[in-house]
Amino acid sequence: MESSEHESVSVREFHANGSRMSASEVEAKLDQGNIQEAEAALREGLSLNFEEARALLGKLEYQRGNVEGALRVFDGIDLQAAIQRLQPSFSEKLPVKKGRTRTESPSSVSQHAASLVLEAIYLKAKSLQKLGKFTEAANDCKRILDAVEKIFYLGIPDIQVDNRLQEIVSHAVELLPELWKQAGCYDEAISAYRRALLSQWNLDNDCCARIQKSFVVFLLYSGAEASPPSLAVQIDGSYVPKNNLEESILLLMILLKKFCLGKMKWDPSVMEHLTFALSVCNQTSTLAKQLEALMPGVYHRIDCWNSLALCHSGAGQNDSALSLLRKSLHKHERPNDLTSLLLAARICSEDPHLAAEGVNHAQRAISNAHGPNEHLKGVALRMLGLCLRKQAKVSSSDFERSQLQSKALKSLEEAIRLEPNNSDLIFELAVQYAEHRNLPAALRSARHFFNETGGSVLKAWRLLALILSAQQRFSEAEVVTDAALDQTARWEQGPLLRLKAKLKTSQSRPMDAIETYRYLLALVQAQKKSFGSLQISSKVEDDKVNEFDIWQGLANLYASLSRWKDAEICLQKARELKEYSAALMHTEGVVLEGCGQNQEALFATINAVLLEPNYVPCKILMGALIQKMGSNYLAVARSSLSDALRIEPTNRMAWYYLGLLHKHDGRLNDAADCFQAASMLEESDPIESFSSIS
């Protein structure tokens, strides 16, 4: 049995079972509201049963745009009765012999009947969707899939399936999750997506890809949390995603594999979603591998280099990223690509030895920030300021360093005029002011940053406390720190507790400081038990404080109290966590000096400088120890202290010991100048370096 509706300019007819019937005759009865008469006409004229006639009538009403009329017709169809009649025919599974057409097979006849009935239910669901009755529409659509599963209980076979039937099933499978989403039933939508992808619906590659992409978008951006798939659909030894992110990444990887195998056309949105998903979970190195695995020609080589550079930069592989950007910015490629210039400048701004190259990239970015890209001029000026600031740290002369610092500050101030509400820029400007000891301006910018972020960023509290400590307002700094502790999660309190301990030390309350360090140590130990020892390493990551920092801080505190044995115990604990550390060797040198072992102390500081040549506290201690060796070694001591001041011009202890050296050498005027600088810097010296949070 076959039924269809053909349209031309003036003639519309129904064909079924070898008979024809004009659609206008049926439409006239429908227009008069005589549904029963229209149904009877179809049954008599085309030899149809009740469900088939109703299905054709409903389809006609739907195509005419009479959605409510179509619903009235569809409501009369008994789907369960139709399925019960169809099921035995499909269970026979008669083979199709060569030379016998599909329409001659009993199974094929049953499939046409099933197509007609199931299409009616599908159109009913579409009608309900148009009327905003999403839950009812979803339930009807689900009935279609339940019916198909009853008919094809072993799954829809790859052959001997009517095209129209397969088309209806594919449409229903694709529609069901969309209806549940529109109804706000997100758990049901997730189940529908998984049912669509895990059951045997014999979907073509394009339909399956559309469903997978739709599910990915839902998982990534809907805000609904998907529970792991049920045990019933899990296969032993297979990977089971634990959350939305893992499930979406798995689906996107499958889509990329399909493209690589030629089973689907290239869709750039797949890579865009994968970029977002892998970036959220800090797996940009995995993203780089996926980009490299794509067939040549999918992306232009320069676009591919730029994307790979972003991936490597996100994974902390700055050398690889910069190498790719240099290729991209070659004069024969895209030397004026603004995004590449800005990324290259940002990477260079993190390394003093690359800062000069970063300045060049930033200046070219400023020159190209015009027209549609003019909004990026503030970003380019910010990058220029950061690169100049970093370049100043390795400058060989005081004059050049001063010039570079002034230019850096000017660039940041120009950037803030273009982007007055850029919180990152406000923070960097505050740090720059603070390092220049312009504390009133630094405090204004720090408060501005605090207000912009609403106190939700830990470094906003830390910067406020450090600036207040530099103004010698220790009690206010402690109030800020306590308020920050109240607003901060337990595992993120480490930097604030360390700050609090140093504030108590500055207020001559060493026992309180020791107690704070003990609490901090207990916090780290509890964190070890909660997350496992692998989560806590000797490396500082982001805003975490680790066990090594605490023992080293305690050692410094005990050394300042001349409690050498306690300091040595803490040093030993720190050595067990990190054997080689310039900071640890510096504290060891202080302890040895305090015990009168100047020679051993000097060896410790020399080893520290060899390990980390730019570690300023060791250079200062080394200069102080060499002074004690006599006037023959003053030149060596002066070189060490001058080098320390070149790296950190605002270090008051370096000025103080350089003053002692000049005094010992008989240069009293130079000594007075150094002592005055040390005294002025002491009045604005923070308890921690401002660069520790920048």
Side-chain angles (χ1 to χ4, degrees), residues 195-216:
R195 182 184 184 185
L197 297 174
L198 295 173
S199 298
Q200 297 181 31
W201 302 113
N202 195 30
L203 304 176
D204 61 50
N205 288 325
D206 290 340
C207 179
C208 187
R210 285 196 303 272
I211 295 171
Q212 287 171 325
K213 283 186 285 187
S214 178
F215 193 18
V216 164

Side-chain angles (χ1 to χ4, degrees), residues 602-617:
L602 183 58
F603 291 154
T605 55
I606 291 172
N607 287 335
V609 170
L610 290 172
L611 183 66
E612 194 172 329
N614 291 328
Y615 191 66
V616 171

Side-chain angles (χ1 to χ4, degrees), residues 585-646:
M585 292 175 182
H586 168 258
T587 306
E588 184 181 352
V590 172
V591 172
L592 290 169
E593 183 190 19
C595 295
Q597 303 175 37
N598 291 346
Q599 195 73 20
E600 290 78 2
L602 183 58
F603 291 154
T605 55
I606 291 172
N607 287 335
V609 170
L610 290 172
L611 183 66
E612 194 172 329
N614 291 328
Y615 191 66
V616 171
C618 280
K619 287 184 175 291
I620 295 170
L621 181 57
M622 186 167 68
L625 289 168
I626 292 173
Q627 280 189 55
K628 296 180 180 181
M629 296 171 63
S631 56
N632 292 335
Y633 298 95
L634 292 182
V636 180
R638 185 183 298 109
S639 174
S640 179
L641 293 170
S642 298
D643 203 27
L645 286 171
R646 179 187 61 79

Side-chain angles (χ1 to χ4, degrees), residues 2 61 193-194 204 381 447 466 489 576 598 602 641 651:
E2 183 178 8
E61 286 283 52
Y193 273 123
R194 289 172 176 165
D204 61 50
L381 285 165
R447 284 173 174 164
L466 283 180
E576 292 173 4
N598 291 346
L602 183 58
L641 293 170
N651 192 297

Side-chain angles (χ1 to χ4, degrees), residues 306-327:
N306 291 340
S307 298
L308 285 171
L310 273 170
C311 293
H312 289 311
S313 175
Q317 301 166 6
N318 283 344
D319 290 343
S320 300
L322 191 58
S323 177
L324 287 164
L325 289 170
R326 285 168 179 158
K327 290 170 65 177

Side-chain angles (χ1 to χ4, degrees), residues 70-118:
L71 275 178
R72 286 193 296 271
V73 175
F74 288 139
D75 283 338
I77 298 178
D78 188 348
L79 180 66
Q80 294 303 320
I83 292 170
Q84 288 173 0
R85 285 197 303 273
L86 291 169
Q87 229 172 329
S89 300
F90 284 106
S91 63
E92 295 171 9
K93 294 191 175 181
L94 294 175
V96 178
K97 295 181 181 179
K98 188 174 181 181
R100 185 177 189 179
T101 64
R102 182 182 291 270
T103 55
E104 294 170 341
S105 166
S107 177
S108 181
V109 171
S110 298
Q111 288 186 41
H112 288 306
S115 299
L116 205 57
V117 174
L118 294 179

Side-chain angles (χ1 to χ4, degrees), residues 360-376:
N360 178 46
H361 292 315
Q363 288 172 336
R364 286 164 58 193
I366 293 170
S367 301
N368 287 281
H370 50 74
N373 294 320
E374 192 170 358
H375 64 287
L376 292 173

